[in-house]
Amino acid sequence: MEPMSETPRRRMSAPQRRDEILDAAAAVIARAGYDGCSLEQIAAEAGVSKALIYEHFDSKRELHGELLGRHATEIFARLEACAESGATGEERLRLGVDAFLSFVEEDRDAWRVLFRDAADPEIVEALAGVQSQAVGVIAALMASDPDRVDHDKTDQGDGALYLELHAQLLAGATQAVAHWWYDHDTVPRAAVVDRVMEFCWLGLERVASGESLRSARAAAAAAKR
């Protein structure tokens, strides 16, 4: 009787093996958090040796950084696609919010990897970089809005900084809503998008039309005379 041969391990190219390790890292970090996981756990999840991981990544921090970059690239691609499909500023914002929340809905592990360990000192710099990129993408989308009105710089200050400020507000508000929705996933995504639009767009629409707090105060003062 001939001895049974062992099933050979599936051969992969280096990029394929790297992707497999990243997928395993996403699953382990989502369960245990960055600080709570180890390269041994990631290796076990991927079905490889720890030594093989070191052939692709120098450290857990480098592995996590590449994972952040992978997820951030996907989110940014979704947001930028909105610039090509929305005919108006409102459509572009709605499509962007929906694209972001669809990412949260479709890949909960990725969302946890991106923001669960935001206070960990080892990765706070990398996370800050991703969030800064997100604000930049949102600001660029706002700048290319066909409905946007340029503001008087003597009233609003530097235009680029003004856009960045609004982008920061939008990014922070939507991220906070996504955190809440993660724990209340019975609420339909469409309902969450509607609430974000009510909060963000109604104010932005008034600003886009040229209204400001200064002009609103002036109008209120005139009405009292």
mmCIF file of all heavy atoms in Angstrom, residues 151-157 210-215:
data_model
loop_
_atom_site.group_PDB
_atom_site.id
_atom_site.type_symbol
_atom_site.label_atom_id
_atom_site.label_comp_id
_atom_site.label_asym_id
_atom_site.label_seq_id
_atom_site.Cartn_x
_atom_site.Cartn_y
_atom_site.Cartn_z
ATOM 1 N N HIS A 151 -16.847 82.646 -1.756
ATOM 2 C CA HIS A 151 -17.154 83.610 -0.700
ATOM 3 C C HIS A 151 -16.208 84.799 -0.741
ATOM 4 O O HIS A 151 -15.061 84.693 -1.171
ATOM 5 C CB HIS A 151 -17.071 82.930 0.673
ATOM 6 C CG HIS A 151 -18.081 81.853 0.848
ATOM 7 N ND1 HIS A 151 -19.388 82.088 1.173
ATOM 8 C CD2 HIS A 151 -17.967 80.510 0.714
ATOM 9 C CE1 HIS A 151 -20.044 80.946 1.238
ATOM 10 N NE2 HIS A 151 -19.206 79.985 0.963
ATOM 11 N N ASP A 152 -16.699 85.928 -0.299
ATOM 12 C CA ASP A 152 -15.868 87.117 -0.187
ATOM 13 C C ASP A 152 -14.782 86.857 0.848
ATOM 14 O O ASP A 152 -15.064 86.626 2.021
ATOM 15 C CB ASP A 152 -16.752 88.298 0.250
ATOM 16 C CG ASP A 152 -15.949 89.586 0.376
ATOM 17 O OD1 ASP A 152 -14.721 89.565 0.174
ATOM 18 O OD2 ASP A 152 -16.591 90.610 0.668
ATOM 19 N N LYS A 153 -13.527 86.898 0.432
ATOM 20 C CA LYS A 153 -12.442 86.537 1.342
ATOM 21 C C LYS A 153 -12.317 87.506 2.504
ATOM 22 O O LYS A 153 -11.805 87.153 3.556
ATOM 23 C CB LYS A 153 -11.127 86.447 0.568
ATOM 24 C CG LYS A 153 -11.084 85.251 -0.392
ATOM 25 C CD LYS A 153 -9.705 85.055 -0.977
ATOM 26 C CE LYS A 153 -9.672 83.835 -1.877
ATOM 27 N NZ LYS A 153 -8.324 83.576 -2.419
ATOM 28 N N THR A 154 -12.788 88.736 2.320
ATOM 29 C CA THR A 154 -12.716 89.678 3.441
ATOM 30 C C THR A 154 -13.706 89.284 4.526
ATOM 31 O O THR A 154 -13.546 89.635 5.680
ATOM 32 C CB THR A 154 -13.047 91.105 2.974
ATOM 33 O OG1 THR A 154 -14.383 91.142 2.451
ATOM 34 C CG2 THR A 154 -12.067 91.548 1.902
ATOM 35 N N ASP A 155 -14.739 88.498 4.153
ATOM 36 C CA ASP A 155 -15.746 88.072 5.122
ATOM 37 C C ASP A 155 -15.407 86.710 5.719
ATOM 38 O O ASP A 155 -15.597 86.469 6.903
ATOM 39 C CB ASP A 155 -17.114 88.016 4.437
ATOM 40 C CG ASP A 155 -18.223 87.572 5.377
ATOM 41 O OD1 ASP A 155 -18.284 88.102 6.491
ATOM 42 O OD2 ASP A 155 -19.004 86.689 4.995
ATOM 43 N N GLN A 156 -14.876 85.807 4.879
ATOM 44 C CA GLN A 156 -14.703 84.426 5.314
ATOM 45 C C GLN A 156 -13.246 84.033 5.554
ATOM 46 O O GLN A 156 -12.990 82.937 6.005
ATOM 47 C CB GLN A 156 -15.296 83.476 4.258
ATOM 48 C CG GLN A 156 -16.776 83.694 3.975
ATOM 49 C CD GLN A 156 -17.652 83.327 5.156
ATOM 50 O OE1 GLN A 156 -17.154 82.825 6.160
ATOM 51 N NE2 GLN A 156 -18.943 83.557 5.048
ATOM 52 N N GLY A 157 -12.304 84.907 5.211
ATOM 53 C CA GLY A 157 -10.917 84.532 5.373
ATOM 54 C C GLY A 157 -10.432 83.750 4.158
ATOM 55 O O GLY A 157 -11.047 83.749 3.108
ATOM 56 N N GLY A 210 -24.627 81.998 -0.428
ATOM 57 C CA GLY A 210 -24.003 83.266 -0.063
ATOM 58 C C GLY A 210 -24.370 83.753 1.322
ATOM 59 O O GLY A 210 -23.890 84.800 1.774
ATOM 60 N N GLU A 211 -25.213 82.992 2.043
ATOM 61 C CA GLU A 211 -25.623 83.411 3.382
ATOM 62 C C GLU A 211 -24.508 83.123 4.379
ATOM 63 O O GLU A 211 -23.771 82.147 4.264
ATOM 64 C CB GLU A 211 -26.893 82.667 3.779
ATOM 65 C CG GLU A 211 -27.502 83.142 5.089
ATOM 66 C CD GLU A 211 -28.836 82.457 5.392
ATOM 67 O OE1 GLU A 211 -29.399 81.827 4.478
ATOM 68 O OE2 GLU A 211 -29.286 82.562 6.535
ATOM 69 N N SER A 212 -24.385 83.957 5.371
ATOM 70 C CA SER A 212 -23.419 83.747 6.445
ATOM 71 C C SER A 212 -24.052 84.217 7.740
ATOM 72 O O SER A 212 -25.101 84.865 7.746
ATOM 73 C CB SER A 212 -22.124 84.524 6.180
ATOM 74 O OG SER A 212 -22.367 85.922 6.270
ATOM 75 N N LEU A 213 -23.390 83.922 8.856
ATOM 76 C CA LEU A 213 -23.903 84.393 10.142
ATOM 77 C C LEU A 213 -23.951 85.918 10.166
ATOM 78 O O LEU A 213 -24.878 86.521 10.694
ATOM 79 C CB LEU A 213 -23.017 83.879 11.284
ATOM 80 C CG LEU A 213 -23.250 82.435 11.736
ATOM 81 C CD1 LEU A 213 -22.245 82.067 12.814
ATOM 82 C CD2 LEU A 213 -24.669 82.261 12.259
ATOM 83 N N ARG A 214 -22.950 86.547 9.541
ATOM 84 C CA ARG A 214 -22.914 88.007 9.526
ATOM 85 C C ARG A 214 -24.118 88.566 8.771
ATOM 86 O O ARG A 214 -24.789 89.480 9.240
ATOM 87 C CB ARG A 214 -21.622 88.492 8.881
ATOM 88 C CG ARG A 214 -21.499 90.009 8.856
ATOM 89 C CD ARG A 214 -20.184 90.443 8.248
ATOM 90 N NE ARG A 214 -19.059 90.016 9.079
ATOM 91 C CZ ARG A 214 -17.782 90.280 8.765
ATOM 92 N NH1 ARG A 214 -17.494 90.929 7.655
ATOM 93 N NH2 ARG A 214 -16.818 89.891 9.565
ATOM 94 N N SER A 215 -24.401 87.974 7.595
ATOM 95 C CA SER A 215 -25.534 88.484 6.811
ATOM 96 C C SER A 215 -26.859 88.178 7.497
ATOM 97 O O SER A 215 -27.797 88.980 7.458
ATOM 98 C CB SER A 215 -25.518 87.891 5.401
ATOM 99 O OG SER A 215 -25.682 86.485 5.440
#
